[in-house]
């Protein structure tokens, strides 16, 4: 986790921008502008919507990355949004990750993978790349990935090994930000503790042998901003586990809600906002349906930059130091 | 689940072949045979191992699909194996799914996705495809997908809706086959039941409004063959939930271990074998390192067919009717 912590220090900003494009979050003229170019490369007209979005998502992401790269330490592309448009979207996901890394950003791939031993080892290829003797090919360009704990230790170990070997990190789901997360995660166990607390203890243990120079291991935890009290208790319970905190902004979390997830030094957590930043242009009075695609992307970028600055300042004042 | 149940009836075979290629499971001369062809299409020599495997995996899968399509009702490609080689592998995954559907097979995509509401809706695109007004584009070619329950109902609902709308299915992880699955899944709750039993009740409920003409809903469950007693109890507990049973063969499960997961009519479950079928060639005395790629693929196909027949006959005698 050292690389992420140092990137946060340098930016003086514990926030990460979620790159989660949807058809509604990309200005329609941007999508339309690729129609002719894309039509030449598809086999069937039915592929046009997905193919246009795949190109538009990358240009949208690039505009945002360029606008925030000097403000935030990290981005978090959510692979579901890209899988929604098929393999062409997956290509856009990897291109986005690669571009973000080239701009010096730490790339947290929100992939929430999880499976049993040999299959988890295959998923760990997201971090370890493809090797063949001397060469190493890294097709995914991720610095960290999110992982689901439901299958237990043998589904996690391959990720921990890959992360440690390549100085990357994983973030395991502990307490997610959605309303029905309580159905399983809050179940009370026979010993009196909650399921997510047991998960938390497992996560702290999975990272125990990988603690870096800033006191945090290669194994982080996902703890939603919508659970401020539980988050504060988890901060004490998991002293070597760095938190990824989703749910700020559009999902309702505020700086006060995440304050307890930071440690006494103002470290220990990074807060994500997605729609609040990449969709900030939709609240702008400057937007007009008859704008050019270039002007719309410029507006997207300016609004994202402003929203990222506001979030940074909110966290600096209320949480960080 | 009706389409799957009827395909099983027609084949008189409740088994599914796991298409989980790894570098060790594909004969090396098959991989080598694509070196020259692939080298022309890559930008950097470091991409060669992944690019060769991507092509070799498809040819390997095609040989197996052709060999078993008249024996088994379904195949289950494990997307982790394809993601392990990057986006080119994801293309191979979708090409494999499409080819298997063209051969009349039900395609169960083992993707184990799971996320919160709006993100789960994006993942549900695996089943619903991409729509834009009139057109529908289905880039994934899956008839069902596996889903992780750790995030609760709002992470599942989008999948159930997509499955119901498109006559497809989902299979939710309940009791997985791996050793450390017990760490969370077997935890005893304050009320005395186990966590996986609570998950089971949720799964049965998620499907309750989608029960088809054969008595099973669009929402199935993953129950490992390595837990025969628990599987039998779950069969009673989840009367409208069809089971996907991994862990037969290479993971140690036998027909007797899965018998309890079938209902009184011999329906209610489908049993997966991966390495036991696609890797059967490795136990053949016919294999020689200096075989041609074509001869090696022919051997792969013949051994897979024999192993699939043996598994079918084992299940027919011991389980099915």
């Amino acid at each position: 986790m050292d690389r992420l912590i140092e990137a946060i220090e340098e930016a003086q900003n514990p926030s990460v921008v979620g790159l989660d494009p949807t058809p509604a979050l990309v200005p329609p003229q941007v999508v339309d502008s690729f129609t002719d170019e894309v039509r030449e490369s598809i086999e069937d007209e039915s592929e046009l919507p997905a193919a246009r979005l795949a190109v538009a998502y990358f240009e949208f992401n690039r505009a945002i990355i360029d606008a925030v790269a000097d403000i935030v330490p990290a981005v978090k592309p959510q692979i579901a949004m890209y899988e929604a448009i098929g393999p062409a979207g997956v290509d856009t996901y990897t291109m986005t990750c690669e571009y973000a890394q080239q701009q010096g950003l730490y790339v947290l791939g929100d992939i929430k993978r999880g499976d049993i031993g040999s299959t988890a080892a295959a998923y760990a290829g997201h971090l370890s790349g493809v090797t063949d003797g001397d060469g190493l090919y890294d097709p995914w360009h991720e610095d960290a990935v999110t992982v689901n704990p439901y299958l237990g230790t043998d589904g996690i170990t391959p990720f921990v090994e890959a992360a440690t070997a390549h100085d990357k990190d994983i973030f395991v789901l502990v307490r997610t930000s959605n309303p029905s997360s309580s159905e399983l995660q809050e179940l009370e166990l026979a010993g009196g503790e909650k399921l997510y607390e047991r998960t938390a203890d497992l996560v702290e243990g999975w990272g125990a042998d990988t603690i870096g120079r800033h006191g945090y291991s290669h194994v982080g935890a996902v703890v939603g901003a919508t659970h401020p009290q539980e988050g504060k208790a988890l901060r004490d319970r998991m002293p070597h586990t760095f938190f990824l905190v989703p749910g700020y902004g559009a999902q309702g979390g505020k700086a006060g809600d995440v304050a307890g997830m930071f440690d006494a030094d103002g470290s220990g957590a990074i807060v994500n906002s997605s729609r609040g930043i990449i969709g900030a242009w939709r609240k702008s009075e400057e937007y007009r349906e008859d704008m050019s695609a270039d002007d719309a992307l410029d507006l997207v970028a300016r609004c994202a930059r402003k929203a990222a600055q506001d979030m940074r300042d909110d966290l600096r004042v209320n949480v960080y130091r």
Side-chain angles (χ1 to χ4, degrees), chain A:
Chain A
M1 212 63 73
D2 291 331
R3 289 198 293 124
L4 176 60
I5 292 169
E6 287 160 19
I8 291 170
E9 280 281 321
E10 194 179 327
Q12 287 286 300
N13 180 9
S15 72
V16 50
V17 174
L19 296 175
D20 309 354
T22 66
L25 283 170
V26 180
Q29 56 270 64
V30 175
V31 180
D32 288 342
S33 71
F34 292 108
T35 304
D36 293 340
E37 176 187 331
V38 161
R39 194 167 259 144
E40 289 173 17
S41 68
I42 59 177
E43 292 177 12
D44 188 286
E45 187 73 9
S46 70
E47 298 175 27
L48 185 63
R52 285 198 315 182
L53 286 173
V55 184
Y57 282 2
F58 181 71
E59 294 304 325
F60 178 78
N61 288 341
R62 182 158 64 180
I64 292 166
I65 290 167
D66 288 344
V68 303
D70 64 332
I71 299 172
V72 300
V75 291
K76 180 175 79 63
Q78 166 53 262
I79 200 169
M81 304 310 180
Y82 304 86
E83 287 189 23
I85 53 171
V90 177
D91 285 335
T92 295
Y93 172 85
T94 62
M95 288 166 59
T96 297
C97 293
E98 183 174 21
Y99 185 74
Q101 283 191 335
Q102 287 168 348
Q103 307 317 307
L105 293 163
Y106 178 98
V107 175
L108 209 171
D110 199 351
I111 66 174
K112 294 189 177 66
R113 300 302 194 247
D115 210 300
I116 67 172
S118 59
T119 310
Y123 276 136
H126 275 267
L127 298 179
S128 60
V130 183
T131 52
D132 180 27
D134 302 332
L136 172 66
Y137 168 55
D138 172 18
W140 291 103
H141 306 284
E142 297 153 326
D143 295 293
V145 295
T146 53
V147 179
N148 188 303
Y150 192 71
L151 295 105
T153 298
D154 60 33
I156 300 291
T157 302
F159 285 99
V160 178
E161 291 173 353
T164 307
H166 297 271
D167 193 19
K168 297 185 175 182
D169 306 297
I170 66 170
F171 290 86
V172 184
L173 303 185
V174 172
R175 188 73 181 92
T176 58
S177 58
N178 56 315
S180 65
S181 62
S182 58
E183 291 172 356
L184 292 181
Q185 296 164 28
E186 274 191 13
L187 287 174
E188 187 179 337
L189 303 178
E193 64 190 343
K194 300 285 179 67
L195 174 62
Y196 76 85
E197 294 172 321
R198 180 65 65 94
T199 306
D201 294 345
L202 285 169
V203 171
E204 177 78 9
W206 289 330
D209 293 335
T210 74
I211 297 172
R213 57 186 173 272
H214 297 287
Y216 288 99
S217 79
H218 283 291
V219 183
V222 178
V223 180
T226 48
H227 310 292
Q229 294 307 317
E230 298 173 5
K232 189 169 162 46
L234 287 173
R235 177 71 285 150
D236 294 336
R237 194 179 185 112
M238 310 172 79
H240 306 100
T241 303
F242 203 87
F243 288 178
L244 166 64
V245 184
Y248 175 96
Q251 285 185 57
K254 304 194 186 328
D257 296 325
V258 303
M261 301 181 196
F262 288 79
D263 64 26
D265 298 325
S267 180
I270 189 164
V271 182
N272 180 72
S273 177
S274 300
R275 276 168 290 171
I277 291 174
I278 71 173
W281 66 272
R282 296 195 298 181
K283 294 184 178 169
S284 168
E285 291 177 0
E286 280 187 59
Y287 180 74
R288 296 191 316 278
E289 287 183 8
D290 61 355
M291 292 178 119
S292 72
D294 283 349
D295 286 347
L297 277 179
D298 181 62
L299 179 64
V300 165
R302 282 185 288 120
C303 293
R305 183 175 176 82
K306 175 68 166 56
Q309 284 171 327
D310 288 348
M311 180 177 177
R312 175 195 64 190
D313 297 342
D314 181 37
L315 292 174
R316 275 190 187 167
V317 168
N318 292 295
V319 175
Y320 188 65
R321 299 294 142 87

